Amino acid sequence: MKFLDVLAGEAISPPPIWLMRQAGRYLPEYRAVRAKAGDFISLCLNPALAEEVTLQPVRKFGFDAAILFSDILILPMALGQGLRFAEGEGPRLPPLEDIGILNPDRAAGVYAPVIETVNRLRGSLPRETALIGFAGGPATVACYMLDGQGGGFCRTRELAYQRPGFVRDVLDILVEATIEYLSAQVQAGADCVMLFESWAGVFPPAQFREFVIEPNRRICAALKVRHKGVRIIGFPRLAGLLLGEYAREAGVDALGLDSVTSIGAARAACPPGMVLQGNLDPLLLKLGGRAMDDAVAQLLDEARGHPHIVNLGHGITPDVPEAHVARLVELVRRG
Ligand code: CP3
């Protein structure tokens, strides 16, 4: 499988491609299934429908990998924190005050349908398409649990200074729960897993080390003991100058890059041979045309001769025309 060969460190031209949020609202067939499911959480917890929306973008564009359809906030919900998605506003949780409401023992029962989706996908995906399982990185999930919504994560950042013990307790629970959750996904047939630390960049260096790198390291180490040879992609978004330290210490096999990090700078900061994934600006996929064509050509040039998986620097937005996605795949396949 081309995707897994690159993840193992091989430089392959043309490189494999998949896109973060490749299943989503820019696809009319996704919107149809989502309407049938009623709401987003019900869709995540319905194995037949989640399987279908995972497959849609692979069928349409022939991506080299499929990513399990679910959400990083299913885990805190499974642990017992309320979760709802406000229409057009994003996720809402009751900001966590007391870790006593979290019950790791019940989590597996709640996320069982997600594991069932992985099981089904293993049977229905084309043999040449890799299946990516995922979870949120503990720091990112804690941001949503403590603030209750996206935005500046002010409460989380204040707590990190004023009640670090509380933040540590939340992270400890998340590390253990994430190991179990990802381990179940690998056992059910995920070829590799990705840790989405989308808000890693809100933490200053000392906290980045303690709240991002160390918990990610514990998860990677445990998964590698349990599942020999399992590959892990880390996505410490907006890590800036701490990217190299993350790459050396977290124990990931590949690094997802955001769009503000240059491929050359990332390569210089990382151990030799580090597999990179990314990092087109999602805005270019909305714009298409000359701007996108030029950026893709430049990315392919920078990636040539190195292990690289083409992706965006963050998720696809709902306003992306499908034709631009098809064009991107065509350009990448030409090499
Ligand atoms: O195709 C895929 O990439 C797989 C599925 C996936 C989703 N969310 C589906 C989704 C994955 C891997 C995620 C990860 C996720 N979820 C992250 C990390 C990556 C990132 O984007 O930074 C985060 C922070 C979340 C939390 C989350 N989920 C937010 C903030 C939102 C609202 C924003 C929005 O786009 O509406 C979601 C909702 C969500 N997750 C949607 C999808 C397809 C849209 C829901 C809908 O259909 O209404």
Side-chain angles (χ1 to χ4, degrees):
M1 230 187 265
K2 180 153 101 172
F3 176 89
L4 291 180
D5 290 342
V6 172
L7 206 44
E10 223 181 293
I12 298 182
S13 182
I17 176 171
W18 72 279
L19 302 178
M20 289 189 274
R21 290 278 179 94
Q22 63 191 21
R25 285 163 294 182
Y26 74 105
L27 289 174
E29 60 268 40
Y30 170 84
R31 295 196 298 268
V33 175
R34 164 96 151 65
K36 195 157 97 183
D39 63 273
F40 175 66
I41 296 174
S42 304
L43 176 53
C44 292
L45 296 179
N46 181 322
L49 297 184
E51 175 191 24
E52 169 58 20
V53 295
T54 303
L55 294 171
Q56 285 171 348
V58 175
R59 261 187 229 129
K60 188 166 245 171
F61 304 110
F63 290 122
D64 296 287
I67 182 159
L68 163 68
F69 188 84
S70 181
D71 196 86
I72 64 165
L73 300 178
I74 293 294
L75 188 61
M77 188 191 80
L79 287 166
Q81 201 175 6
L83 170 67
R84 65 190 179 86
F85 278 83
E87 204 58 54
E89 286 175 34
R92 294 285 183 278
L93 306 90
L96 187 68
E97 301 290 348
D98 173 10
I99 60 165
I101 69 146
L102 304 175
N103 182 359
D105 295 335
R106 75 189 275 281
V110 181
Y111 63 60
V114 176
I115 305 305
E116 174 55 20
T117 305
V118 176
N119 244 313
R120 284 168 166 257
L121 283 164
R122 196 56 285 164
S124 54
L125 273 171
R127 279 167 54 100
E128 69 275 13
T129 312
L131 177 57
I132 305 171
F134 74 91
T140 297
V141 175
C143 277
Y144 285 100
M145 292 171 78
L146 294 170
D147 268 80
Q149 62 183 70
F153 299 112
C154 294
R155 178 166 184 253
T156 305
R157 289 159 53 215
E158 288 176 12
L159 287 169
Y161 287 112
Q162 296 185 320
R163 291 176 61 199
F166 177 52
V167 174
R168 258 178 231 127
D169 288 345
V170 175
L171 290 171
D172 283 345
I173 291 170
L174 284 173
V175 165
E176 295 309 320
T178 303
I179 291 167
E180 297 303 328
Y181 185 43
L182 290 177
S183 188
Q185 293 180 32
V186 172
Q187 220 154 8
D191 292 303
C192 66
V193 296
M194 177 155 166
L195 272 175
F196 284 89
E197 272 297 17
S198 301
W199 298 106
V202 306
F203 297 99
Q207 292 174 358
F208 183 94
R209 291 186 180 104
E210 181 178 2
F211 299 150
V212 178
I213 295 181
E214 180 58 17
N216 280 233
R217 189 196 63 72
R218 285 166 60 195
I219 292 169
C220 293
L223 286 176
K224 293 200 168 208
V225 167
R226 291 196 195 186
H227 308 279
K228 211 170 155 18
V230 68
R231 308 260 180 220
I232 305 166
I233 306 169
F235 179 48
R237 199 170 71 90
L238 305 176
L241 293 176
L242 292 162
L243 188 69
E245 207 168 307
Y246 179 92
R248 284 191 299 278
E249 294 175 14
V252 298
D253 301 279
L255 212 50
L257 296 181
D258 54 56
S259 303
V260 298
T261 305
S262 84
I263 302 287
R267 205 174 282 135
C270 292
M274 187 87 197
V275 180
L276 299 180
Q277 172 177 282
N279 68 345
L280 274 184
D281 186 344
L283 184 60
L284 287 167
L285 200 56
K286 175 188 165 192
L287 299 177
R290 181 75 189 275
M292 181 177 85
D293 284 15
D294 289 351
V296 174
Q298 192 187 332
L299 178 63
L300 293 175
D301 278 345
E302 286 172 326
R304 219 177 302 281
H306 301 271
H308 193 100
I309 297 162
V310 175
N311 205 315
L312 303 174
H314 203 179
I316 300 189
T317 50
D319 52 12
V320 166
E322 290 176 52
H324 295 178
V325 179
R327 170 77 178 159
L328 167 63
V329 174
E330 180 194 328
L331 290 170
V332 171
R333 296 285 185 236
R334 278 190 213 160

